[in-house]
Amino acid sequence: MATSIRLRRLGTVALAAGGAYTILRDPSISVNDRGGGSALQIVKQKIADPFAVIPSRAVQESALMGASLANPLDVLVVGGGATGSGVALDAATRGLRVGLVEREDFSSGTSSRSTKLVHGGVRYLEKAVFNLDYGQLKLVFHALEARKQVIDNAPHLCHALPCMTPCFDWFEVIYYWMGLKMYDLVAGRHLLHVSRYYSAQESLELFPTLARNGKEKTLKGTVVYYDGQMNDSRLNVAIACSAALAGAAVLNHAEVVSLLKDDVTGRIIGARIRNNLSGKEFDTYAKVVVNAAGPFCDSVRQMADKKAKPMIIPSSGVHIVLPDYYSPEGMGLIVPKTKDGRVVFMLPWLGRTVAGTTDSNTSITMLPEPHENEIEFILDAISGYLNVKVRRTDVLSAWSGIRPLAMDPKAKNTESISRDHVVSEDYPGLVTITGGKWTTYRSMAEDALDAAIKSGKLNPTNKCLTYNIQLVGADGWEPASFTILAQQYVRMKRTYRGNVVPGVMDTASAKHLSHAYGTLAERVAAIAQNENLGKRLAHGYPFLEAEVAYCARNEYCESAVDFIARRSRLAFLDTDAANRALPRVIEILAAEHKWDKSRQKEELKKGREFLETFKSSKNAQFHDGKHK
């Protein structure tokens, strides 16, 4: 009886979805006229210009310092994660005068510790079906549109990824096939690829490490559907750099010490900023402050009002990285329900396998660390679906991220906790945006800026343009772009017995540079070739020394951790490899930023302390129990 009811509901919502899609979109706005015209072309040219030079850190700081009470910024954004950087890009492209400050680095918090999926929210669709919740269905429509948009605006950093769902009885086959077909239907014209069923034998050919027998049952087949995958922190850095090219004054390692208030009205009119690299403090004024500090947004709100009711319910998401042989290249594995009802996945990512995730209560901290029981939970969950031995010693890296689940501060109970975002102005002049997810960062930024424009009575010169703006490095990029690097550049010019011998730009390095930097990869390749910086930073990984120099010059890379964690992903992929690369990274950054010996020593200490929070098998103290 329960089975037939579940299947009927799937069918009912699938039929409704076909007709509902047009209702949920604003018919007055099309992709072609969202703000379009000459303003859009001017912005696109600024960001896509291959000769564009990003404003220096000193220039950006001066712009913030120059914002006075008599001549304030239109908007000051606090927080340089995906949403905060998105607000800065949106504001700059609407013709507003905007500044952004970030206490640590762009993407240093939740935005670099994500699942790496650009997804439409298939779990929300299931909730919409069984709770007959139209709100959840709208959330899925919106996320699926946003998913395609993120991939289109940064194709070098995002791609479609097939995800396999194993089925161990025929009911599961029918249930997941129908559910994922509905997911395709809801996606409509934003569909990436059509989902399909594979027999058990076909599935094992596609995913060789998948177990034929699991859950004490025999594999009946799998259903494969598509979601997006991204390099999250590099995408975040691309958003911030695109904002800078569009005219925003963005400054990382700059902390809000306090908020400035108008003595008469009590309205927030700016912030006291401390440059955490120099220690210098200054005031910057703005008509509106947008609080996009993620898990830390409550601490910013409490600067305005010590009695501010919390908005954040923090949740810990732990992920681990395993060797590449755990999953085939180009195919992920999704386990929809573990024994305690959680979703666990195992996905290929940057040449390794990322697995997760947990979802548990946590406290807010700058450097969250995964607990051993969470790592063991993930290993336990995937071991039942694989035919290879799952070992704790195979964990190359493990990290924890804090999801800022949002609660409307005006709500009377916790039932309003949502994975959707919340925009609130509970103190005049301070607009807070929090909650939501990576996939919908652009529309979150749009909503926050719309609220800021209303609050500050601002006068943008045009509508929101970011729907159609490709990020830096995306314009003109093609999947085959790496061949230009492989054919036209060498990794270095080295001397051998008195002769200059070119070191080949191998395919792995060329593909990596092309995907990480898009059309700007040639700039990195030129540094490698011409400045004797073509060596790899770590054995077995394609990251080049030239990238350190490039990021210091063009991506506001101000510390060793900035590079190993956010500009490259070495810390997330392999903690031990990152530790070995650290001295050379510091040596190159020291040359770029003119660091003295004392600063270099401090960078090494901070880098190693940071890596200690990534609980790989090399730096974790653990009992070898079930997974030896």
Side-chain angles (χ1 to χ4, degrees):
M1 182 67 179
T3 298
S4 63
I5 291 171
R6 293 170 92 186
L7 292 177
R8 277 205 305 274
R9 282 188 173 183
L10 271 172
T12 303
V13 177
L15 289 171
Y21 185 73
T22 53
I23 297 170
L24 294 173
R25 288 183 52 82
D26 181 349
S28 66
I29 298 175
S30 71
V31 174
N32 294 324
D33 66 14
R34 284 183 180 241
S38 60
L40 179 61
Q41 294 309 314
I42 291 168
V43 168
K44 283 184 172 181
Q45 287 168 11
K46 280 183 178 180
I47 295 173
D49 182 359
F51 302 106
V53 177
I54 204 160
S56 70
R57 182 178 173 81
V59 167
Q60 301 289 51
E61 186 175 27
S62 294
L64 290 170
M65 293 173 70
S68 63
L69 189 58
N71 185 27
L73 298 170
D74 289 311
V75 179
L76 174 66
V77 184
V78 180
T83 305
S85 298
V87 173
L89 177 60
D90 194 348
T93 54
R94 291 202 212 188
L96 296 173
R97 190 173 167 216
V98 58
L100 178 149
V101 290
E102 160 58 47
R103 173 170 53 183
E104 294 294 325
D105 181 30
F106 308 118
S107 201
S108 59
T110 304
S111 296
S112 64
R113 296 166 180 263
S114 77
T115 301
K116 321 303 178 199
L117 283 175
V118 187
H119 63 95
V122 70
R123 285 179 294 165
Y124 307 141
L125 183 59
E126 189 177 28
K127 288 179 183 177
V129 172
F130 295 117
N131 299 331
L132 296 177
D133 186 336
Y134 188 65
Q136 292 281 354
L137 188 61
K138 285 199 295 184
L139 191 63
V140 178
F141 278 126
H142 176 55
L144 284 166
E145 180 181 7
R147 178 187 70 176
K148 185 68 164 61
Q149 192 179 5
V150 171
I151 295 171
D152 288 347
N153 286 349
H156 57 305
L157 293 167
C158 310
H159 61 273
L161 177 72
C163 299
M164 179 177 282
T165 301
C167 306
F168 290 93
D169 62 48
W170 289 112
F171 167 71
E172 285 186 343
V173 171
I174 297 168
Y175 178 70
Y176 291 127
W177 183 85
M178 286 189 67
L180 292 169
K181 282 298 174 188
M182 189 174 72
Y183 194 54
D184 292 349
L185 179 62
V186 171
R189 62 190 176 85
H190 303 295
L191 180 69
L192 299 180
H193 295 284
V194 176
S195 62
R196 61 160 291 183
Y197 164 77
Y198 288 94
S199 69
Q201 186 56 42
E202 290 172 323
S203 301
L204 294 170
E205 290 171 4
L206 289 168
F207 205 112
T209 54
L210 182 64
R212 185 180 288 275
N213 297 297
K215 300 169 63 176
E216 300 178 353
K217 295 180 181 179
T218 302
L219 184 71
K220 297 298 188 290
T222 61
V223 182
V224 173
Y225 74 100
Y226 287 77
D227 257 329
Q229 190 177 51
M230 63 178 166
N231 186 337
D232 54 5
S233 70
R234 284 216 55 82
L235 183 58
N236 195 157
V237 169
I239 299 166
C241 289
S242 298
L245 289 170
V250 300
L251 193 68
N252 55 351
H253 300 282
E255 181 174 0
V256 171
V257 178
S258 60
L259 295 175
L260 306 177
K261 295 182 182 179
D262 185 287
D263 292 335
V264 177
T265 64
R267 183 181 174 87
I268 300 297
I269 54 171
R272 180 78 175 169
I273 311 295
R274 179 171 59 235
N275 181 330
N276 282 335
L277 299 180
S278 67
K280 181 170 63 176
E281 292 190 6
F282 59 90
D283 291 338
T284 190
Y285 291 85
K287 296 173 185 175
V288 186
V289 174
V290 173
N291 173 15
F296 301 96
C297 77
D298 281 339
S299 63
V300 175
R301 292 171 62 244
Q302 286 159 6
M303 289 180 186
D305 179 4
K306 291 179 181 178
K307 296 179 181 178
K309 187 177 178 181
M311 291 179 69
I312 296 299
I313 307 296
S315 172
S316 169
V318 171
H319 301 77
I320 63 174
V321 171
L322 299 162
D324 56 353
Y325 56 72
Y326 273 84
S327 63
E329 185 178 353
M331 179 65 76
L333 183 73
I334 304 285
V335 179
K337 281 184 182 172
T338 60
K339 54 192 174 187
D340 64 352
R342 287 189 269 190
V343 176
V344 170
F345 61 84
M346 198 173 70
L347 312 169
W349 183 64
L350 301 183
R352 295 293 178 264
T353 299
V354 61
T357 179
T358 64
D359 190 357
S360 53
N361 294 334
T362 188
S363 56
I364 297 174
T365 178
M366 286 294 294
L367 288 176
E369 299 184 27
H371 296 298
E372 192 59 36
N373 63 340
E374 294 173 309
I375 295 171
E376 288 289 340
F377 166 79
I378 297 169
L379 294 173
D380 274 341
I382 64 174
S383 65
Y385 295 86
L386 300 178
N387 60 21
V388 297
K389 186 174 176 61
V390 176
R391 307 182 302 179
R392 177 62 175 87
T393 51
D394 283 340
V395 176
L396 301 171
S397 184
W399 73 87
S400 175
I402 301 174
R403 296 188 185 98
L405 301 182
M407 184 172 68
D408 192 325
K410 298 172 185 174
K412 295 178 180 178
N413 56 53
T414 57
E415 289 176 7
S416 61
I417 295 171
S418 169
R419 289 185 182 268
D420 201 358
H421 63 275
V422 173
V423 179
S424 172
E425 186 183 11
D426 49 342
Y427 202 92
L430 181 65
V431 172
T432 296
I433 171 76
T434 192
K437 58 182 180 175
W438 233 118
T439 307
T440 57
Y441 86 88
R442 192 212 62 82
S443 59
M444 288 171 63
E446 182 179 356
D447 288 349
L449 188 58
D450 286 345
I453 289 169
K454 184 178 178 182
S455 171
K457 298 181 174 60
L458 307 180
N459 295 303
T461 57
N462 46 264
K463 296 178 183 178
C464 177
L465 303 178
T466 53
Y467 194 95
N468 292 313
I469 292 174
Q470 286 195 305
L471 300 179
V472 63
D475 186 58
W477 182 87
E478 297 288 345
S481 294
F482 76 93
T483 58
I484 297 170
L485 304 178
Q487 291 179 343
Q488 298 184 11
Y489 291 88
V490 294
R491 279 209 281 129
M492 67 186 78
K493 296 176 180 177
R494 65 178 189 268
T495 303
Y496 180 71
R497 294 183 179 177
N499 298 315
V500 175
V501 181
V504 68
M505 177 67 76
D506 56 281
T507 301
S509 295
K511 281 186 174 180
H512 157 65
L513 293 179
S514 180
H515 281 282
Y517 303 93
T519 54
L520 301 182
E522 289 189 57
R523 291 191 189 181
V524 189
I527 294 172
Q529 174 179 279
N530 301 328
E531 299 183 32
N532 199 32
L533 290 173
K535 293 178 183 175
R536 293 192 178 195
L537 286 164
H539 179 70
Y541 294 90
F543 307 110
L544 304 183
E545 293 177 342
E547 295 178 66
V548 186
Y550 175 84
C551 293
R553 298 171 195 175
N554 300 283
E555 292 187 353
Y556 303 115
C557 179
E558 302 295 335
S559 76
V561 172
D562 287 357
F563 183 81
I564 62 171
R566 270 92 56 179
R567 303 309 182 282
S568 78
R569 310 316 309 278
L570 197 50
F572 285 81
L573 290 168
D574 190 328
T575 306
D576 194 44
N579 222 337
R580 292 194 302 270
L582 199 55
R584 181 57 179 149
V585 170
I586 291 169
E587 188 179 0
I588 299 168
L589 285 175
E592 293 294 325
H593 292 314
K594 308 294 186 290
W595 290 345
D596 59 20
K597 292 292 182 184
S598 174
R599 174 66 188 274
Q600 292 177 55
K601 189 176 179 181
E602 181 187 357
E603 286 290 322
L604 187 62
K605 179 174 177 286
K606 284 184 178 178
R608 289 189 169 149
E609 286 174 352
F610 175 81
L611 291 172
E612 281 295 318
T613 67
F614 286 69
K615 302 301 182 183
S616 72
S617 58
K618 298 289 193 301
N619 70 350
Q621 300 296 318
F622 63 91
H623 272 311
D624 242 352
K626 189 185 301 182
H627 305 292
K628 292 185 179 179

